[in-house]
């Protein structure tokens, strides 16, 4: 748009050679900059919902293909009033929190070891590189044998799924810490532990936190996949059940729950970034 | 305290970077090291401070450090090397924490060095909020906090614009007049060298050897007024360096 105005201004000022006529220098610096437009996102979201609702009610969208959003909302309300919402959500959150926390803690520990010790790097890094691309859900049957059909196998799937990206984010973060800062620490006689605690870990924190974003979304994907295999409760089990019964309103409700869960987690990580990385402008 | 470098040689891979360098830094003396780009000045300073092991020769210190010195050989870096996640106070505090200086004593030391570098008002600022000159002042405050005997400065003013450089140079001279620290001062800038140096060690291009040592008797405090004489000295140093610098400029390097 600024493109057009610039062009029209340029043509409006005729290239007259008269030296007495002063004309403004045409502006051509516009565009390529993003302005935050806070109100656009909810409007788009509501517009899609409204169109969908209208389409469903007018019969343009067949109820067999896609239920109206109001029906999905009704299913959600049903779920809440029967108390099943908390049961499903609680089971899922428990698995997610335990699996992700353990996976992240182990991942940070291994990542630091790989980042700090040559022996750990030569020994563990090839292993991590070999196992990282394996879809952890493929290992679920194995985990069921090892950890039982109950919570163990589900938590283990999420744990392994978050472990590898966290390892890689952490050791890459350690590698990226400014060498000059480490040298500065050494030149002031800081102990090894102080250098790790006060220079390397805070320096790797941005990378670790962006690793969290990735590992959290992997965790949600694995959560649903694991719950689709032999779980009584959980959002994944709910979605699977709804799908088996072709209760599409419930299916949509379950998917909406997942999406809200993902948004909440990304908001929490955003808050953590704000707090821990406030030093970065 | 004295620092003596004896027959220092150093190699990276197959490239000889330093060749048989010997000189001493006496008590309360600023020795400037100049030389063409890539001749091994930073390497020499790292060796002097014990951050790198020389391939040959040794770096020796003699005499007792001043009372209460926590870190006799202390660096000031070209890129300031401040922790971006710590405030000005926190950056100074960092180097005291490990020496078991805590509580009120630490606060007192921090307040003292910030006052001496005119940074008291910036105690709670983060490095990114400060100008380059202010950042280097913080680095100087941090160095003062550990009561160094010998300061090792690697182009401390090179990252600053020329006005800020003048201001900081005046600060350094005032500081030196009060505290009489010894220093090994690496620089590209011959003007800095003649303004600050008691002696100027001129290195050849790589492999760095000592070309000449220029002595300057004029007291530091008088130098700001006797610029004409300094100008002559500066030209003399430049004459020594000129060919080396030209040759170094035309070299093709295959070391990173
Ligand atoms: N860690 C290293 N590994 C390999 N080569 C190195 C290393 N550090 C420095 N060198 C090489 O050694 C030579 C001397 O480097 P040094 O940084 O000491 O020079 P300098 O005189 O400080 O240069 P400048 O004036 O650019 O700061 C350079 O050619 C550089 O490429
Ligand atoms: Mg250098």
């Amino acid at each position: 748009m600024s493109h057009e105005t610039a062009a029209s201004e340029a043509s409006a000022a005729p290239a007259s050679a008269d030296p007495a006529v002063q004309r403004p220098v045409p502006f051509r610096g516009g565009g390529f900059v993003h302005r935050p437009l806070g109100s656009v996102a909810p409007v788009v979201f509501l517009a899609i919902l409204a169109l969908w609702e209208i389409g469903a009610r007018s019969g343009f969208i067949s109820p067999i293909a896609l239920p109206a959003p109001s029906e999905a909302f009704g299913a959600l309300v049903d779920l809440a009033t029967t108390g099943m919402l908390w049961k499903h959500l609680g089971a899922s959150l428990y698995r997610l929190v335990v699996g992700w926390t353990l996976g992240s803690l182990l991942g940070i520990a291994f990542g630091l070891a790989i980042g700090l010790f040559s022996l750990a790097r030569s020994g563990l890094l090839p292993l991590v590189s070999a196992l990282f691309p394996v879809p952890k859900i493929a290992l679920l049957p194995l985990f069921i044998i090892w950890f039982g059909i109950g919570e163990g196998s589900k938590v283990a799937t999420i744990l392994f799924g978050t472990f590898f990206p966290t390892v890689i984010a952490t050791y890459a973060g350690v590698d990226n810490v400014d060498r000059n800062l480490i040298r500065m620490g050494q030149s002031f006689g800081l102990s090894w532990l102080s250098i790790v605690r006060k220079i390397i870990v805070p320096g790797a924190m941005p990378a670790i936190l962006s690793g969290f974003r990735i590992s959290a979304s992997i965790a949600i994907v694995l959560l649903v996949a694991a719950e689709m295999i032999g779980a009584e409760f959980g959002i994944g089990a709910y979605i699977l059940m709804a799908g088996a019964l072709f209760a599409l309103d419930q299916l949509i409700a379950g998917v909406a729950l997942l999406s809200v869960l993902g948004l909440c987690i990304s908001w929490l990580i955003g808050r953590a970034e704000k707090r821990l990385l406030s030093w970065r402008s | 305290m004295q620092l003596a470098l004896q027959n220092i040689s150093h190699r990276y891979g197959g490239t000889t970077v330093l060749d048989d360098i010997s000189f001493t830094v006496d008590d309360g003396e600023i020795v400037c090291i100049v030389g063409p780009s890539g001749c091994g000045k930073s390497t020499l300073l790292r060796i002097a401070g014990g951050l790198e092991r020389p391939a040959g020769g040794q770096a020796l210190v003699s005499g007792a450090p001043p009372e209460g010195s926590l870190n006799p050989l202390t660096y000031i870096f070209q890129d300031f090397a401040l922790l971006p996640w710590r405030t000005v106070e926190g950056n100074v505090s960092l180097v005291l924490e490990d020496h078991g200086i805590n509580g009120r004593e630490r606060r007192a030391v921090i307040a003292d060095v910030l006052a001496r570098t005119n940074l008291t008002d910036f105690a709670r600022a983060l490095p990114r909020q400060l100008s380059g000159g202010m950042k280097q002042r913080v680095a100087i405050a941090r160095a003062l906090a550990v009561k160094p005997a010998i300061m090792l400065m690697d182009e401390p003013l090179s990252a600053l614009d020329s006005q800020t450089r003048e201001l900081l140079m005046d600060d350094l001279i005032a500081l030196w007049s009060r505290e009489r620290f010894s220093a090994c001062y690496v620089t590209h800038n011959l003007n800095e060298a003649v303004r600050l140096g008691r002696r100027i060690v001129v290195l050849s291009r790589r492999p760095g050897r000592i070309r000449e040592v220029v002595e300057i008797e004029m007291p530091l405090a008088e130098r700001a007024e006797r610029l004409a004489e300094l100008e002559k000295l500066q030209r003399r140093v430049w004459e020594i360096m000129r060919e080396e610098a030209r040759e170094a400029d035309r070299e093709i390097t295959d070391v990173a």
Side-chain angles (χ1 to χ4, degrees):
Chain A
M1 64 196 168
S2 45
H3 222 92
E4 288 141 34
T5 49
S8 62
E9 255 168 48
S11 53
S16 74
D18 186 354
V21 178
Q22 288 188 321
R23 47 187 199 281
V25 174
F27 175 71
R28 47 195 172 171
F32 304 106
V33 181
H34 284 293
R35 291 167 294 152
L37 297 172
S39 52
V40 170
V43 168
V44 170
F45 185 71
L46 288 176
I48 289 175
L49 277 187
L51 277 177
W52 179 2
E53 184 73 38
I54 292 168
R57 291 201 178 195
S58 65
F60 181 72
I61 301 174
S62 143
I64 298 167
L66 202 62
S70 56
E71 281 177 45
F73 186 72
L76 209 57
V77 171
D78 269 354
L79 201 59
T81 48
T82 54
M84 290 306 282
L85 178 63
W86 308 115
K87 216 154 198 168
H88 288 303
L89 210 55
S92 287
L93 277 179
Y94 168 79
R95 290 162 191 150
L96 201 63
V97 169
V98 173
W100 183 81
T101 309
L102 289 178
S104 294
L105 287 178
L106 283 173
I108 290 174
F110 275 74
L112 280 178
I114 290 176
L116 293 172
F117 306 110
S118 309
L119 188 65
R121 173 163 307 206
S122 342
L124 295 175
L125 196 53
L127 213 62
V128 168
S129 311
L131 291 177
F132 180 42
V134 174
K136 304 302 166 296
I137 199 66
L139 299 177
L140 184 61
L142 208 57
F143 291 150
I144 290 177
I145 297 171
W146 291 352
F147 305 108
I149 187 85
E151 296 305 306
S153 56
K154 293 170 191 65
V155 168
T157 312
I158 296 170
L159 190 158
F160 275 86
T162 51
F163 173 76
F164 291 101
T166 311
V167 170
I168 287 172
T170 306
Y171 100 78
V174 171
D175 280 2
N176 263 332
V177 174
D178 188 349
R179 278 7 246 178
N180 284 333
L181 291 182
I182 296 173
R183 190 161 269 159
M184 181 277 292
Q186 292 175 323
S187 81
F188 278 96
L190 267 61
S191 66
W192 183 86
L193 201 64
S194 286
I195 291 179
V196 172
R197 259 185 45 222
K198 297 171 184 172
I199 299 177
I200 293 180
V201 171
M205 199 47 88
I208 294 175
L209 285 178
S210 51
F212 279 1
R213 273 189 195 281
I214 296 169
S215 69
S217 35
I218 292 180
I220 293 181
V221 171
L222 288 177
L223 169 78
V224 175
E227 283 178 346
M228 285 186 164
I229 302 175
E232 196 179 348
F233 297 111
I235 303 176
Y238 175 73
I239 292 177
L240 186 76
M241 218 149 42
L245 301 172
F246 282 96
L248 294 188
D249 52 343
Q250 292 182 11
L251 192 139
I252 299 284
V255 170
L257 273 179
L258 285 179
S259 155
V260 170
L261 187 65
L263 283 176
C264 286
I265 289 175
S266 112
W267 179 78
L268 281 175
I269 294 175
R271 286 298 301 262
E273 276 177 345
K274 267 224 174 76
R275 270 191 71 94
L276 291 171
L277 306 181
S278 57
W279 50 272
R280 288 199 314 187
S281 74
Chain B
M1 220 167 109
Q2 287 189 339
L3 172 70
L5 300 180
Q6 288 184 345
N7 312 103
I8 301 277
S9 305
H10 198 61
R11 270 183 300 281
Y12 284 119
T15 325
T16 305
V17 177
L18 293 167
D19 188 19
D20 197 28
I21 303 233
S22 306
F23 65 89
T24 56
V25 182
D26 285 329
D27 242 337
E29 192 177 73
I30 301 181
V31 174
C32 290
I33 300 174
V34 298
S37 196
C39 75
K41 305 181 291 293
S42 301
T43 311
L44 187 62
L45 211 60
R46 283 201 295 275
I47 291 171
L51 291 180
E52 194 146 358
R53 245 189 263 278
Q58 47 191 347
L60 302 168
V61 286
S62 57
E67 181 76 14
S69 174
L70 301 173
N71 191 45
L73 293 168
T74 297
Y75 274 89
I76 293 185
F77 298 89
Q78 177 178 2
D79 64 353
F80 324 125
L82 301 175
L83 300 185
W85 49 87
R86 285 200 179 211
T87 59
V88 169
E89 272 178 337
N91 268 287
V92 178
S93 169
L94 174 81
V95 299
L96 298 170
E97 290 159 12
D98 258 44
H99 295 284
I101 295 180
N102 292 311
R104 186 173 313 158
E105 195 188 350
R106 186 159 80 208
R107 281 197 296 280
V109 173
I110 295 172
D112 174 49
V113 295
L114 292 187
R116 271 149 75 195
T117 43
N118 296 323
L119 285 168
T120 307
D121 296 340
F122 301 89
R124 286 174 203 286
L126 283 169
R128 73 175 151 86
Q129 299 170 301
L130 301 177
S131 67
M134 280 299 177
K135 283 185 202 159
Q136 196 57 291
R137 282 198 180 87
V138 177
I140 292 172
R142 178 176 63 186
L144 291 176
V146 292
K147 298 207 180 64
I150 301 170
M151 300 251 231
L152 303 171
M153 312 200 215
D154 192 356
E155 311 202 25
L157 309 183
S158 293
L160 308 176
D161 63 80
S162 56
Q163 286 88 24
T164 315
R165 201 181 303 170
E166 281 298 323
L167 289 175
L168 242 88
M169 192 132 66
D170 291 344
D171 283 6
L172 274 180
I173 291 169
L175 197 67
W176 183 85
S177 309
R178 270 184 283 134
E179 329 241 340
R180 299 282 161 159
F181 55 85
S182 335
C184 202
Y185 187 107
V186 167
T187 179
H188 265 125
N189 186 314
L190 299 186
N191 182 255
E192 279 171 32
V194 296
R195 287 278 298 277
L196 292 171
R198 169 70 183 71
R199 278 184 290 140
I200 302 175
V201 177
V202 184
L203 297 184
S204 68
R205 67 176 190 276
R206 206 181 60 223
R209 298 191 183 92
I210 295 186
R211 271 293 308 260
E212 200 163 327
V213 179
V214 178
E215 307 256 347
I216 308 179
E217 300 289 349
M218 194 193 303
L220 232 62
E222 292 175 20
R223 292 191 188 179
E225 273 92 62
R226 294 163 67 181
L227 285 177
E229 289 165 65
L230 287 184
E231 180 73 33
K232 264 191 219 124
L233 275 167
Q234 188 179 333
R235 193 146 331 135
R236 207 183 115 208
V237 177
W238 174 231
E239 290 304 330
I240 301 169
M241 272 188 66
R242 181 185 222 127
E243 275 312 304
E244 298 288 344
R246 195 204 304 279
E247 289 300 319
D249 191 41
R250 297 172 64 85
E251 252 165 31
I252 295 173
T253 13
D254 50 8
V255 249

